[in-house]
Amino acid sequence: MEALLVNYVEKSLEQYMRRNAVFLCERLYAEFPSEVNLQLLARCYLNNNQPHSAYYVLKGMEMAQSRYLFAIACLEMDLFCEAEAALLPVKDLCAEVPNGAAVQYLLGIIYRDTDRKNKSIEHFRKTLSIDPLFWAAYEQLCMLGEAEEAAVCFGDATVPCVQEHYLGNASSCLLIADTDHSSDSSQRFGLEYLSRSHLKQREGNNIRDICENNHGGPILTGAVRQSKNSCCSTSFSSTPSPVPTQIRGSLFFDSGLRRSARLAAGQRSLNTSQGSENKAKSLHASTKLSSETCSSTFCQGKLMETYEVAVSELETYEVAVSEFGATSSSSSTTDVKSIQHEIENTKLSSFISDSATIKSGISDTMKLLRTLGEGYRHLCMFRCKEALNVYQKLSSKQYNTGWILSQVGKAYFELVDYLNADYAFSLVRQISPYNLEEMDVYSTVLYHLKQDMKLKYLAQEMILVDRYAPQTWCAIGNCYSLQKDHESALKSFQRAVQLNSRFAYAHTLSGHEYVIMEDYGKGVECYQTSLHVDARHYNSWYGLGMIYLRQEKFEFAEHHFRQAYQINPLSSVIMYYLGTTLEALKRSEEALEMMEKAIVIDNKNPLPKYSKAKLLVTLGKLNEALEILEELKECTPRESCIYALMGAIYKRNKKYDKAMLHFGIALDLKPSIVDVAKIEAAIEKLIIPDEMEESL
């Protein structure tokens, strides 16, 4: 009964029949109350979005897998202290944490969310050292600004570790060369304990049960089976089953074991399967799956292939034995040995060939991760042009995917190239319309482009995909903000915060809306909350700097702009406002240097050029200022401030006709009321000598 219920619970989970899994597993645990069955019940609760139920049934359990599942439930409930205590060893807090890379990653998340950055970085790096394919850990390091080069984390040196981690040491196959061929043929093939009927009896069993490991990850399919290899320590899970899996495990690595060792393994496995009924029922709690067993996506196929080969060999051998039985014993022995040699040589060649193919596949995977990792690292460091160059190296199959194109769109957004960003994100919508990642950024792109209808359509599509995603409500908020409905926009951004309090961009957008509404106090609170979630969210540092600049608290403004500049040293916008703050602090030389950097970064941005011209006027370099303004006049002919500044320069050069001409053009371009007053005052004083003007 226990085995039947376990099988049906696993089947229900596999088919996403979560409610059925919960019901059956509750019956299972009521009838057979063991901690292993309790773990299965907790998995059902977690899959059914009932972390509170999993939390209460697992509280106080001490098995490694129970603590792991308990920690998952705690994280779902934001109980970081209890999650940390569950993941750390019970007795010695300094000892190595069980369960491998997944636990190290979860500890990194806990330390990140509890403002312990250094420990978080340490555990994310440890995750990658255990499992180089654990991309999520590298992603977190990139977001923290602490990632090593992708060539280090995903380099060729990691290939042997990955190979050994998932497939075992391929060199073990060479042990066949040293096999003692003097052993009796029946012993070498283990026919006394591994008959064809014995194999066929297991043919109906789900071989995938021992292949559903997930890099030691959080998605587990049964009780944890702790295991270690020479490269790293991790834990695996297998589907609880009353059928022994040791035989199948030995078949996969048949060619890598001495025949005598395989015989012993087969005998132990058969004896175990013929044990008492209680032992059979609890076998799923005691079976250990070595990390040398397969755990990759192609593992299931390899097992089936090896299984079929083994069956075929046994059939061939039995036929051979029956045929040679009619001949002399010496001739039979010689022929049997010849067949055995041929089989072993074939299997050795096949294993070596498969190992080479597997190694090649691992190398290709690591090469792909190197490219993706380097591009993502550049983007997180806001080296957007370098990121775009790296992504261009990808194959078209990889490049034309939602995730890559989203990163490309974000890179163009950071470069203030909104048209190319719009194009990249529009491709994302075509390729994967269900994808909401970075769609909040896309909504901001459309906001800057004043694409009202397109932004409305995007928001409606995102509502249809997932109305409970924070990205959806950010898009809705941007839509309202573009329509000048700032109250509704603010409510939308706050709704995004309610759905995910750690969504830093929603806090930042809320701060922007408060600034527009001139509620600077609440704007400061929103920006500070955003920085508490993500200290590298430079938009919030920039937002705080803008508030203090408007309040003429220039020292505070400089501090916050410099923080933003340290995080994103390639933003011409941040450089411009930092330079503006330095100008207000009467530090003209520093301000001029910052404006020149901004111009180098983005030659198309007119604001740093105009500010540079003003600073040159302040420093008395009028001719250089005129050259810059003449260039600006060609690029942006409708800006009244350019003509007003040129008029002031001509006035100081005593070229009153040109000064009057440019002042008149500035007025014709309909400047703001404040600028109109300044220009009219300048015209009135145009005929007054500078000495008299200064005396006034």
Side-chain angles (χ1 to χ4, degrees), residues 142-409:
C142 288
M143 289 189 284
L144 291 171
E146 298 291 338
E148 296 180 296
E149 291 186 5
V152 176
C153 295
F154 306 114
D156 293 334
T158 61
V159 172
C161 181
V162 175
Q163 186 175 13
E164 188 173 1
H165 186 72
Y166 295 104
L167 304 178
N169 193 345
S171 63
S172 63
C173 69
L174 298 178
L175 290 174
I176 296 176
D178 298 327
T179 301
D180 185 5
H181 295 291
S182 63
S183 301
D184 182 75
S185 60
S186 62
Q187 290 179 330
R188 294 177 63 189
F189 277 90
L191 291 179
E192 296 175 5
Y193 303 101
L194 192 60
S195 66
R196 180 175 59 184
S197 60
H198 192 71
L199 286 172
K200 287 185 177 180
Q201 180 181 354
R202 284 153 176 76
E203 185 176 2
N205 295 333
N206 189 359
I207 294 181
R208 182 182 52 201
D209 289 353
I210 62 172
C211 304
E212 290 185 341
N213 302 314
N214 190 16
H215 315 327
I219 302 176
L220 303 176
T221 58
V224 162
R225 318 296 182 204
Q226 300 181 23
S227 60
K228 295 183 179 180
N229 59 22
S230 60
C231 176
C232 50
S233 174
T234 185
S235 72
F236 297 87
S237 60
S238 61
T239 303
S241 172
V243 182
T245 59
Q246 185 67 35
I247 292 295
R248 283 179 287 169
S250 64
L251 279 175
F252 180 63
F253 293 103
D254 176 66
S255 59
L257 298 173
R258 295 182 63 89
R259 296 301 183 185
S260 57
R262 193 183 68 181
L263 172 62
Q267 185 172 5
R268 285 195 301 269
S269 186
L270 183 60
N271 291 337
T272 301
S273 66
Q274 293 176 347
S276 64
E277 181 179 357
N278 290 335
K279 289 184 179 179
K281 288 182 180 180
S282 62
L283 186 59
H284 64 280
S286 60
T287 304
K288 294 186 177 179
L289 179 61
S290 170
S291 62
E292 293 181 353
T293 314
C294 59
S295 177
S296 64
T297 55
F298 45 81
C299 171
Q300 180 179 351
K302 287 292 299 175
L303 276 173
M304 288 300 298
E305 178 184 351
T306 310
Y307 165 76
E308 292 170 358
V309 170
V311 173
S312 176
E313 290 172 5
L314 289 173
E315 290 175 346
T316 303
Y317 178 73
E318 288 179 356
V319 171
V321 170
S322 63
E323 290 178 352
F324 287 126
T327 62
S328 64
S329 60
S330 60
S331 174
S332 175
T333 302
T334 302
D335 291 341
V336 168
K337 288 184 177 180
S338 176
I339 293 175
Q340 293 169 355
H341 281 297
E342 183 177 353
I343 291 174
E344 288 179 355
N345 290 335
T346 301
K347 292 174 67 179
L348 175 59
S349 300
S350 175
F351 188 89
I352 294 174
S353 175
D354 290 343
S355 297
T357 302
I358 291 167
K359 186 174 182 180
S360 175
I362 294 174
S363 297
D364 291 342
T365 302
M366 302 311 290
K367 181 180 178 181
L368 174 62
L369 290 181
R370 277 198 299 275
T371 304
L372 296 175
E374 195 61 20
Y376 191 74
R377 188 175 73 93
H378 281 310
L379 185 56
C380 288
M381 299 300 291
F382 302 100
R383 297 193 287 261
C384 301
K385 292 181 180 179
E386 290 86 344
L388 290 171
N389 291 335
V390 171
Y391 287 139
Q392 288 291 337
K393 298 177 183 178
L394 292 168
S395 66
S396 59
K397 291 187 292 186
Q398 289 292 335
Y399 187 85
N400 294 314
T401 56
W403 190 85
I404 298 296
L405 289 173
S406 293
Q407 302 307 309
V408 170

Side-chain angles (χ1 to χ4, degrees), residues 5-20:
L5 286 175
V6 167
N7 183 272
Y8 269 85
V9 169
E10 293 288 356
K11 183 178 180 181
S12 297
L13 289 176
E14 181 181 348
Q15 296 174 347
Y16 302 97
M17 298 294 104
R18 302 182 181 94
R19 181 61 198 140
N20 191 58

Side-chain angles (χ1 to χ4, degrees), residues 610 617 626 629 633 639-672 674-688 690 693:
Y610 177 73
V617 171
L626 270 178
L629 292 171
K633 186 172 66 173
E639 291 294 334
S640 62
C641 59
I642 296 175
Y643 295 95
L645 184 56
M646 292 179 73
I649 293 173
Y650 284 125
K651 177 178 176 291
R652 291 184 62 173
N653 285 336
K654 302 186 185 305
K655 297 180 180 180
Y656 300 118
D657 292 340
K658 286 189 175 182
M660 182 62 75
L661 173 64
H662 285 82
F663 283 142
I665 295 174
L667 286 174
D668 292 339
L669 292 174
K670 298 180 180 179
S672 64
V674 176
D675 290 337
V676 167
K678 291 180 180 179
I679 295 171
E680 289 177 346
I683 292 174
E684 290 176 1
K685 298 177 182 179
L686 190 58
I687 59 175
I688 303 176
D690 290 341
E693 180 180 345

Side-chain angles (χ1 to χ4, degrees), residues 47-196:
N47 275 277
N48 200 41
N49 195 26
Q50 296 176 250
H52 293 80
S53 300
Y55 172 86
Y56 284 110
V57 299
L58 289 173
K59 192 173 181 64
M61 298 293 106
E62 294 185 357
M63 288 180 62
Q65 176 69 348
S66 299
R67 290 159 48 207
Y68 179 83
L69 294 172
F70 179 73
I72 295 292
C74 290
L75 285 174
E76 291 286 333
M77 301 163 62
D78 290 337
L79 300 175
F80 298 115
C81 292
E82 291 188 65
E84 180 183 358
L87 292 174
L88 291 173
V90 176
K91 296 181 180 179
D92 186 5
L93 296 180
C94 298
E96 183 179 356
V97 179
N99 287 20
V103 169
Q104 298 295 333
Y105 176 77
L106 292 178
L107 285 171
I109 294 294
I110 292 169
Y111 294 136
R112 182 204 67 184
D113 291 350
T114 52
D115 298 324
R116 289 176 280 178
K117 180 180 177 181
N118 291 335
K119 296 197 72 173
S120 175
I121 293 168
E122 176 188 345
H123 283 277
F124 287 139
R125 286 178 175 168
K126 191 176 291 186
T127 302
L128 285 172
S129 69
I130 295 173
D131 186 355
L133 289 178
F134 211 118
W135 166 263
Y138 188 78
E139 188 177 39
Q140 289 294 328
L141 287 171
C142 288
M143 289 189 284
L144 291 171
E146 298 291 338
E148 296 180 296
E149 291 186 5
V152 176
C153 295
F154 306 114
D156 293 334
T158 61
V159 172
C161 181
V162 175
Q163 186 175 13
E164 188 173 1
H165 186 72
Y166 295 104
L167 304 178
N169 193 345
S171 63
S172 63
C173 69
L174 298 178
L175 290 174
I176 296 176
D178 298 327
T179 301
D180 185 5
H181 295 291
S182 63
S183 301
D184 182 75
S185 60
S186 62
Q187 290 179 330
R188 294 177 63 189
F189 277 90
L191 291 179
E192 296 175 5
Y193 303 101
L194 192 60
S195 66
R196 180 175 59 184

Side-chain angles (χ1 to χ4, degrees), residues 310-539:
V311 173
S312 176
E313 290 172 5
L314 289 173
E315 290 175 346
T316 303
Y317 178 73
E318 288 179 356
V319 171
V321 170
S322 63
E323 290 178 352
F324 287 126
T327 62
S328 64
S329 60
S330 60
S331 174
S332 175
T333 302
T334 302
D335 291 341
V336 168
K337 288 184 177 180
S338 176
I339 293 175
Q340 293 169 355
H341 281 297
E342 183 177 353
I343 291 174
E344 288 179 355
N345 290 335
T346 301
K347 292 174 67 179
L348 175 59
S349 300
S350 175
F351 188 89
I352 294 174
S353 175
D354 290 343
S355 297
T357 302
I358 291 167
K359 186 174 182 180
S360 175
I362 294 174
S363 297
D364 291 342
T365 302
M366 302 311 290
K367 181 180 178 181
L368 174 62
L369 290 181
R370 277 198 299 275
T371 304
L372 296 175
E374 195 61 20
Y376 191 74
R377 188 175 73 93
H378 281 310
L379 185 56
C380 288
M381 299 300 291
F382 302 100
R383 297 193 287 261
C384 301
K385 292 181 180 179
E386 290 86 344
L388 290 171
N389 291 335
V390 171
Y391 287 139
Q392 288 291 337
K393 298 177 183 178
L394 292 168
S395 66
S396 59
K397 291 187 292 186
Q398 289 292 335
Y399 187 85
N400 294 314
T401 56
W403 190 85
I404 298 296
L405 289 173
S406 293
Q407 302 307 309
V408 170
K410 188 175 181 180
Y412 281 121
F413 168 76
E414 296 293 351
L415 291 170
V416 201
D417 188 350
Y418 297 132
L419 290 176
N420 276 321
D422 180 19
Y423 178 70
F425 281 123
S426 64
L427 290 178
V428 176
R429 300 302 301 160
Q430 294 177 24
I431 293 172
S432 54
Y434 51 85
N435 178 36
L436 297 184
E437 188 171 357
E438 308 296 351
M439 288 299 106
D440 50 318
V441 177
Y442 185 28
S443 68
T444 302
V445 169
L446 297 177
Y447 173 88
H448 286 297
L449 291 173
K450 311 297 182 186
Q451 295 279 355
D452 184 42
M453 294 303 297
K454 204 169 182 179
L455 181 53
K456 288 179 181 178
Y457 183 69
L458 173 66
Q460 290 174 350
E461 282 190 320
M462 293 174 70
I463 290 172
L464 293 176
V465 173
D466 187 0
R467 64 172 56 248
Y468 299 108
Q471 295 92 336
T472 298
W473 288 95
C474 285
I476 295 171
N478 276 330
C479 191
Y480 281 125
S481 184
L482 186 57
Q483 298 171 1
K484 310 299 182 184
D485 187 353
H486 301 298
E487 291 287 348
S488 298
L490 186 58
K491 290 179 181 178
S492 299
F493 296 139
Q494 290 174 341
R495 174 59 175 155
V497 170
Q498 290 174 351
L499 291 168
N500 185 355
S501 61
R502 295 197 57 81
F503 199 74
Y505 195 40
H507 292 287
T508 300
L509 291 174
S510 298
H512 291 343
E513 289 303 309
Y514 278 123
V515 170
I516 293 174
M517 299 164 64
E518 298 185 352
D519 190 343
Y520 298 133
K522 290 185 178 179
V524 168
E525 291 179 6
C526 290
Y527 291 138
Q528 289 175 341
T529 304
S530 174
L531 292 173
H532 180 73
V533 173
D534 182 5
R536 297 188 73 250
H537 197 68
Y538 77 91
N539 307 77

